[in-house]
Amino acid sequence: QLIAAAEPGARPDGALERWRRFETLSAVRAGALVTLDADRLHRQSPRMVEEIAVLCQRIDEARRALPP
């Protein structure tokens, strides 16, 4: 499980920090909070596909971190 936010330049602005108070969520307990580059993700271009690949990588990382 993962919680993702998209921010310009992938710079965290605190949006994910608000999620940390929900300690019962497995993504929060595992620290699976990621910030993606909104400039790349929200524009219909090849860069969008590249940023979706980053998202897929982060999802795979979060999956590997799950307990067996």
Side-chain angles (χ1 to χ4, degrees):
Q1 297 193 5
L2 177 102
I3 298 171
E7 300 296 336
R11 289 181 301 277
D13 76 343
L16 289 174
E17 291 305 313
R18 292 179 223 138
W19 283 99
R20 293 190 189 280
R21 64 185 166 144
F22 299 104
E23 297 172 0
T24 58
L25 295 175
S26 59
V28 173
R29 285 195 312 270
L33 305 164
V34 299
T35 304
L36 300 169
D37 189 340
D39 297 328
R40 297 173 64 128
L41 192 61
H42 295 159
R43 293 192 178 125
Q44 306 296 317
S45 73
R47 293 177 356 152
M48 178 184 188
V49 175
E50 293 169 358
E51 197 63 15
I52 290 171
V54 171
L55 174 59
C56 290
Q57 290 171 351
R58 300 289 166 74
I59 291 170
D60 284 341
E61 291 167 7
R63 248 188 229 135
R64 283 193 296 270
L66 290 174

